[in-house]
Amino acid sequence: MRVVELIEKKQHGKALTKQEIDFLIKGYTEETIPDYQMSALLMAIYFKDMTPDERLWLTRAMVKSGDTIDLSKINGVKVDKHSTGGVADTTTLVLGPLVASLGIPVAKMSGRGLGHTGGTIDKLESIPGFHIELTTKEFIAHVNRDKIAIVGQTGNLTPADKKLYALRDVTATVGSIPLIASSIMSKKIAAGSDAICLDVKVGSGAFMKTPEEARKLAEAMVQIGNDAGRKTVAVISDMSQPLGNAVGNALEVIEAIEVLKGKGPKALTDLVFELGAQMVVLAQKATTVAEAKQLLKEQITSGKALEQFQKLIKAQGGNEEVVTTYELLPQANYQFDLPATTSGYVNIKDAEQIGLAAMLLGAGRAVKDDEIDYGVGLVMHKRIGDHVTAGESLLTIYSNREDVSEVEDKLYGTIEIGEKPKLPPLIYDIVTTE
């Protein structure tokens, strides 16, 4: 096969075969195909799309490029959850212990954050002593014993995807549905789960800005998952404002604990119940979403979900007393309220700017090697559509430096006060194969 002929084939909108896709991904991973040729192919895919078969073959080729995780020694149906990312998306910290408390195994591999806030691993590492380094044997043993373990991603999981993503990032081909879908699903399939629940974000704080774009991505991923033999469902949820009120690592851990105590913010709690119910149905512990939601609510009311979180923390070396004593978590030295400059109704122009404001404080990474300050961040007091009077606090800034003027400017630039805006729905749709 000649790479240039395959590039021309895709440029003319023709479908590549499984053998051709395998050849391209293997060659690029092994560096026999150079960046400039793969860049041309990615651009052709960006403009000409891929068929469902091509998307599945691309996903499988990326899975085959590296290690896969064998979870067959874990008892029960293993359900994974993936979010396409957003601001104050603390769902994994709540969902893991909540779903595990029903006896459903949660064998979770998560990543660190690169961007406005830390990833799930960064949030957990804000708990004193918590470590994410487990051998595969320990990982499986923890899940069989405690029903939950959360570890960092292995270094050789889907190396083809890592190389392709880096190339997409510098060739303006990130925003391609088949490339996004195969990237996400290759990692989920390689991680060894039996079923997958996807949380596809839409809005100014998400990668997909419109419900139409989000639906296309959700449908593409659900089809890949099911065609690959993994029962898959996607929830399309709003990210036009932070999901929870807390933006920042230790602050989000506190908020997750509050949800597990039944005292968390409504939007975060409601989405957790929706995603969790889908996971419970996928794990065959309930036959309907309504039945599953009731089971989950009972786990919070009884305190069993919170106990499960303590069990996870203790098993992975952390101080489980943080559940009752928040002062054990990293603390910021300064707190500043951001007052409303006028009276009216709150609107948020761009939710991502709120995340970037938290990153300026040190809550996230601008580049891979940046160190995260676990104690800093923001706590929102007002959401879209809430009324505020002049001088009332919109949010509190938690900082380890006294000068937060740059952060305040960014926040004032995106939080508007005026006429009552139209409230976005929390959940737009549920996408399944049915």
Side-chain angles (χ1 to χ4, degrees):
M1 290 184 216
R2 292 182 66 231
V3 177
V4 68
E5 291 175 355
L6 300 183
I7 295 169
E8 288 174 346
K9 184 177 181 180
K10 179 47 69 177
Q11 284 174 338
H12 288 97
K14 295 178 181 178
L16 300 172
T17 66
K18 179 182 183 300
Q19 290 72 24
E20 289 167 342
I21 289 172
D22 285 345
F23 165 76
L24 289 163
I25 296 304
K26 186 172 187 289
Y28 187 57
T29 306
E30 295 177 352
E31 300 185 353
T32 58
I33 295 174
D35 281 352
Y36 59 82
Q37 285 189 311
M38 187 54 72
S39 297
L41 179 71
L42 292 175
M43 193 62 74
I45 292 170
Y46 183 90
F47 284 110
K48 295 298 183 178
D49 206 344
M50 297 182 100
T51 66
D53 279 345
E54 284 180 290
R55 295 174 182 187
L56 176 63
W57 294 332
L58 176 59
T59 304
R60 282 182 164 160
M62 291 198 291
V63 170
K64 202 163 58 176
S65 72
D67 296 338
T68 56
I69 309 300
D70 181 6
L71 301 180
S72 60
K73 292 181 180 176
I74 295 176
N75 304 316
V77 179
K78 282 74 71 178
V79 183
D80 200 356
K81 169 260 173 190
H82 176 80
S83 168
T84 57
V87 184
D89 183 4
T90 317
T91 50
T92 297
L93 294 183
V94 184
L95 276 171
L98 176 57
V99 171
S101 71
L102 286 171
I104 298 167
V106 178
K108 183 70 179 160
M109 297 184 71
S110 291
R112 299 187 186 281
L114 181 58
H116 42 71
T117 54
T120 297
I121 292 298
D122 299 300
K123 293 165 190 175
L124 286 169
E125 285 187 330
S126 72
I127 299 171
F130 195 99
H131 63 86
I132 50 91
E133 297 83 10
L134 296 175
T135 66
T136 301
K137 186 176 180 181
E138 289 171 334
F139 181 53
I140 290 170
H142 278 229
V143 178
N144 276 330
R145 185 190 68 216
D146 300 330
K147 296 303 175 187
I148 184 170
I150 302 178
V151 296
Q153 292 172 346
T154 175
N156 200 39
L157 207 68
T158 62
D161 176 58
K162 291 183 179 70
K163 282 178 64 71
L164 282 173
Y165 191 89
L167 194 59
R168 286 164 57 204
D169 198 33
V170 296
T171 56
T173 53
V174 170
S176 161
I177 294 292
L179 296 177
I180 299 168
S182 59
S183 172
I184 291 171
M185 295 307 294
S186 66
K187 292 191 283 283
K188 293 293 102 182
I189 291 165
S193 59
D194 301 313
I196 303 163
C197 178
L198 301 162
D199 181 13
V200 181
K201 302 295 190 184
V202 59
S204 63
F207 188 72
M208 313 310 287
K209 303 300 181 186
T210 69
E212 293 74 26
E213 289 176 324
R215 171 167 267 284
K216 285 179 184 176
L217 177 59
E219 289 174 344
M221 292 193 293
V222 167
Q223 182 158 19
I224 288 171
N226 283 291
D227 288 348
R230 308 294 201 277
K231 182 70 175 170
T232 306
V233 62
V235 176
I236 301 176
S237 67
D238 179 63
M239 190 45 72
S240 56
Q241 61 183 325
L243 177 59
N245 294 333
V247 187
N249 298 280
L251 294 170
E252 289 185 50
V253 169
I254 292 170
E255 189 160 78
I257 294 167
E258 287 293 297
V259 175
L260 290 168
K261 289 178 178 177
K263 302 174 183 176
K266 187 177 188 309
L268 175 57
T269 301
D270 288 350
L271 184 58
V272 160
F273 282 138
E274 184 61 50
L275 295 170
Q278 297 291 342
M279 293 172 74
V280 171
V281 171
L282 287 170
Q284 301 169 18
K285 290 285 186 176
T287 53
T288 67
V289 170
E291 178 192 350
K293 282 184 183 177
Q294 187 56 42
L295 289 174
L296 293 170
K297 288 174 182 176
E298 288 169 2
Q299 295 305 98
I300 285 182
T301 303
S302 68
K304 290 179 181 176
L306 186 63
E307 289 173 14
Q308 191 75 48
F309 191 38
Q310 284 184 291
K311 193 181 291 185
L312 166 67
I313 295 170
K314 185 176 181 180
Q316 294 191 220
N319 185 349
E320 74 271 26
E321 296 303 317
V322 298
V323 168
T324 53
T325 310
Y326 297 152
E327 291 77 17
L328 293 171
L329 290 161
Q331 306 285 307
N333 292 322
Y334 305 100
Q335 295 182 26
F336 306 98
D337 282 319
L338 186 78
T341 55
T342 185
S343 298
Y345 293 92
V346 172
N347 196 11
I348 295 173
K349 284 195 300 185
D350 185 354
E352 186 177 2
Q353 294 303 310
I354 294 174
L356 292 173
M359 188 177 78
L360 289 175
L361 292 165
R365 296 180 180 89
V367 295
K368 189 171 69 173
D369 294 330
D370 281 353
E371 286 193 19
I372 280 184
D373 186 339
Y374 294 121
V376 303
L378 312 167
V379 174
M380 310 289 295
H381 304 313
K382 298 292 180 180
R383 298 184 67 78
I384 293 177
D386 287 351
H387 188 270
V388 64
T389 55
E392 191 177 358
S393 178
L394 294 166
L395 56 85
T396 300
I397 299 168
Y398 290 77
S399 174
N400 278 323
R401 62 175 188 266
E402 289 189 73
D403 182 8
V404 293
S405 55
E406 186 184 6
V407 175
E408 291 174 334
D409 289 345
K410 186 170 281 292
L411 292 167
Y412 277 130
T414 198
I415 300 174
E416 296 180 324
I417 300 171
E419 296 295 317
K420 189 165 188 177
K422 183 180 178 182
L423 298 181
L426 176 63
I427 296 170
Y428 285 83
D429 206 356
I430 312 290
V431 177
T432 66
T433 53
E434 297 170 3

